[in-house]
Each structure stands twice: as structure tokens, then as C-alpha cells.
Amino acid sequence: MEERKNLAFLSNSGSYSIFQFQDDVIRFMTSPRLEKYQKVLEWDAGYLVVIAKYKDLAEMEEYIDLVPILEDLSYDVDSFLSHIKEVKIREATG
């Protein structure tokens, strides 16, 4: 159960990326050409390296820095991120 408690999810819907950890759901703009995130390659305390698929393009590495997004939302960034040990992909919702 402890593993689940420290698990966050990344997905996308329309032109938004969605990062969810426990009850916190953070949406931020992304390219409307993003079809889906396919795999998390690295999670490093707010910095994600993922494989993403965009319309009419090959799969590519994508880099997401959550720190400035969390700061803009007035999160206690260090406290929030310290609990996340793993990020997995959730299927795109449209």
C-alpha cells in the first residue's frame, strides 16, 4: 500500500496535461497535437522525462518541469514533491 501512496499519474486531455497525486489534480496547457504520453523515462523531484506521441510525428522525448507550475499555484513545492516516488502514465482521455 505504501507504494500506491507515493504514486502520481500523468495523462492528457485535449490541449491539457494532467498531473495527479492523491487528491491534487494539476492541469496545464500542452500542445493540441499531443496524442498521448507513452512512457515515463525519468522522475526527478518535479522534473519528468517522458516519451510522447504527437499527431503526424514520431515518438519523441518530452521534458516537463513541474516546479514553476507548482510555484505559480502557491504549492509548498518541496513538501509536495518529496512524497512522490514514482510517476506512471494514465491513458489519454480525449
Side-chain angles (χ1 to χ4, degrees), residues 2-3 5 14 18 20 23 30-31 33-34 52-53 66 69 71 74 76-77 82 84 89 94:
E2 185 66 26
E3 177 183 321
K5 183 178 166 186
I18 303 159
Q20 182 173 0
D23 293 332
T30 192
S31 169
R33 297 177 57 94
L34 176 65
K53 174 67 177 101
L66 291 172
I69 296 166
E71 288 173 343
S74 299
D76 179 338
V77 175
S82 70
I84 302 170
I89 299 298

Side-chain angles (χ1 to χ4, degrees), residues 1-89:
M1 264 328 219
E2 185 66 26
E3 177 183 321
R4 275 285 196 222
K5 183 178 166 186
N6 296 321
L7 178 63
F9 294 95
L10 179 68
S11 63
N12 67 293
S13 180
S15 59
Y16 288 92
S17 290
I18 303 159
F19 186 84
Q20 182 173 0
F21 178 62
Q22 297 177 354
D23 293 332
D24 290 283
V25 178
I26 299 158
R27 290 177 179 83
F28 50 96
M29 294 291 293
T30 192
S31 169
R33 297 177 57 94
L34 176 65
E35 291 179 350
K36 66 179 181 173
Y37 293 111
Q38 296 186 305
K39 182 178 182 182
V40 175
L41 299 177
E42 181 179 340
W43 165 253
D44 184 14
Y47 190 75
L48 282 158
V49 180
V50 299
I51 298 294
K53 174 67 177 101
Y54 290 87
K55 186 176 181 177
D56 301 324
L57 296 172
E59 294 177 356
M60 63 179 64
E61 267 188 16
E62 181 77 30
Y63 307 93
I64 302 169
D65 187 356
L66 291 172
V67 172
I69 296 166
L70 294 168
E71 288 173 343
D72 285 348
L73 295 170
S74 299
Y75 273 76
D76 179 338
V77 175
D78 293 333
S79 176
F80 180 75
L81 295 176
S82 70
H83 299 288
I84 302 170
K85 304 302 180 206
E86 182 181 7
V87 179
K88 290 189 176 183
I89 299 298

